[in-house]
Amino acid sequence: MSVFREVVRSLLSLLMLLPVLTNADTTPSNVQELFKKACVDVCKAIDVCSNGWTAFEKAFSGKNWNDSTNEDYDAYFSVFPLPTNIKDKALLWTGTDSLQTALTSRADLTSSANIVSIMIINRMVTSYNVTAWCGNANGGIDYSSTNCPSYTPGTPTPVYTFYATFSYRLADNSAGVVFFLTENTFRNTSVFAQVELPRLLINAAVTKIVVLNVYKYLNGTCNQTTSPLHNIKAKAITGGKAFSCVDVYGDASLNPPSDTLLTALTQVIKEQTSKGFLVNISGTTVLCVILLLTTILF
């Protein structure tokens, strides 16, 4: 984890050349209540959610907002651990939220759409409008400052650090074939470029990176000379990973996604792994039950 911390700090020094888009906000006075509501929405397990809040609060309480590290969230990810050895099932993505959620379910994959630790935070952000959380260096949570940044790419705020930490853990726990869903997009400021891809490249268990490129126009395909996806290919080959970029025609912006597009993507995934799919049960429900039993027994 210390290696990741140094990588992030190096990236931040480069990002100082870019405009810093800091969205000032305030930690809600009832952030604990809203976290637990979001957690119960996802887990239905109150005892687990109480433990989850204690661990989540520990990540930022009593600390400056601009000095957040990935280690700060160790306790939280101990309460809500990510799956391990995600072989041929990991789905990373950028700019295709509704599509990746539907594809995760259809193709029995593992992504931010079905991992409890990030589902809780996403629920808190989207359903309860908790867009920022900050501590006070003198102790406790800072409920009064209006200079509590929300998600700011590349800046070590508690919000950005949470998502970056989740991403590197997901990349580290991946194995075999890893899928990246996109619309002919690869941004150097994205979490995929800054965190996930570098971690995949040093993960010996990952053997291949497959880009699932959803396109509507011919100039958005994998083989276009101006495609930013060539950057991923170059990095993958340099990192000793096999690489494929597969074009799938469709509109990634539709919500809900078209069944035709989901079927086509699922077929590509099946071909790339040369395996059938397990029966898709609710991994979220199973994990929450396990967490609850752990709380009761130990």
Side-chain angles (χ1 to χ4, degrees):
M1 291 187 181
S2 60
V3 174
F4 171 75
R5 182 175 180 179
E6 291 303 315
V7 169
V8 170
R9 292 196 178 279
S10 297
L11 286 167
L12 291 178
S13 64
L14 294 175
L15 288 167
M16 290 299 291
L17 300 175
L18 301 174
V20 178
L21 303 177
T22 300
N23 300 312
D25 211 332
T26 302
T27 308
S29 59
N30 60 338
V31 62
Q32 177 177 352
E33 174 190 351
L34 297 178
F35 173 91
K36 289 183 178 180
K37 281 186 176 181
C39 183
V40 171
D41 289 345
V42 173
C43 259
K44 316 296 183 187
I46 296 176
D47 289 343
V48 171
C49 292
S50 294
N51 293 340
W53 165 253
T54 299
F56 181 70
E57 179 188 22
K58 181 180 178 182
F60 62 94
S61 180
K63 302 170 185 176
N64 287 320
W65 68 263
N66 60 350
D67 195 29
S68 184
T69 69
N70 58 300
E71 289 91 348
D72 291 341
Y73 287 98
D74 283 352
Y76 178 79
F77 286 108
S78 292
V79 177
F80 300 111
L82 275 71
T84 57
N85 192 32
I86 309 169
K87 185 173 176 58
D88 301 336
K89 297 283 187 180
L91 176 65
L92 310 177
W93 59 280
T94 184
T96 54
D97 192 7
S98 60
L99 180 56
Q100 68 92 19
T101 299
L103 183 60
T104 296
S105 177
R106 173 71 69 90
D108 187 27
L109 300 176
T110 299
S111 76
S112 58
N114 62 357
I115 298 178
V116 171
S117 55
I118 196 168
M119 289 175 67
I120 293 169
I121 303 305
N122 284 343
R123 179 78 173 182
M124 184 176 71
V125 171
T126 58
S127 297
Y128 298 106
N129 199 34
V130 180
T131 58
W133 48 90
C134 290
N136 188 318
N138 295 321
I141 298 175
D142 185 354
Y143 296 110
S144 59
S145 174
T146 57
N147 187 30
C148 178
S150 56
Y151 186 89
T152 307
T155 302
T157 67
V159 180
Y160 175 79
T161 300
F162 170 81
Y163 284 102
T165 303
F166 170 84
S167 292
Y168 100 75
R169 286 174 178 264
L170 178 57
D172 282 1
N173 290 359
S174 298
V177 180
V178 176
F179 298 96
F180 175 57
L181 181 66
T182 184
E183 288 183 284
N184 196 37
T185 300
F186 178 71
R187 301 186 312 276
N188 289 328
T189 56
S190 68
V191 170
F192 177 74
Q194 291 186 7
V195 179
E196 292 169 343
L197 183 56
R199 299 298 293 189
L200 292 176
L201 296 179
I202 63 173
N203 182 349
V206 172
T207 57
K208 185 176 184 179
I209 297 172
V210 176
V211 174
L212 303 172
N213 181 45
V214 180
Y215 74 100
K216 290 189 291 184
Y217 309 104
L218 291 179
N219 63 356
T221 57
C222 294
N223 61 1
Q224 293 297 310
T225 56
T226 57
S227 173
L229 302 180
H230 292 304
N231 293 328
I232 304 177
K233 179 179 180 180
K235 292 177 184 294
I237 292 174
T238 301
K241 308 298 183 185
F243 176 85
S244 290
C245 185
V246 183
D247 292 316
V248 181
Y249 178 78
D251 187 346
S253 66
L254 293 179
N255 188 13
S258 73
D259 187 71
T260 300
L261 178 56
L262 288 171
T263 299
L265 286 167
T266 301
Q267 182 60 34
V268 170
I269 291 168
K270 186 175 182 180
E271 291 170 355
Q272 289 292 326
T273 56
S274 299
K275 295 178 180 179
F277 296 116
L278 299 173
V279 177
N280 185 19
I281 62 174
S282 174
T284 300
T285 302
V286 171
L287 179 55
C288 285
V289 170
I290 292 173
L291 293 172
L292 178 59
L293 289 174
T294 301
T295 301
I296 294 173
L297 295 175
F298 300 99

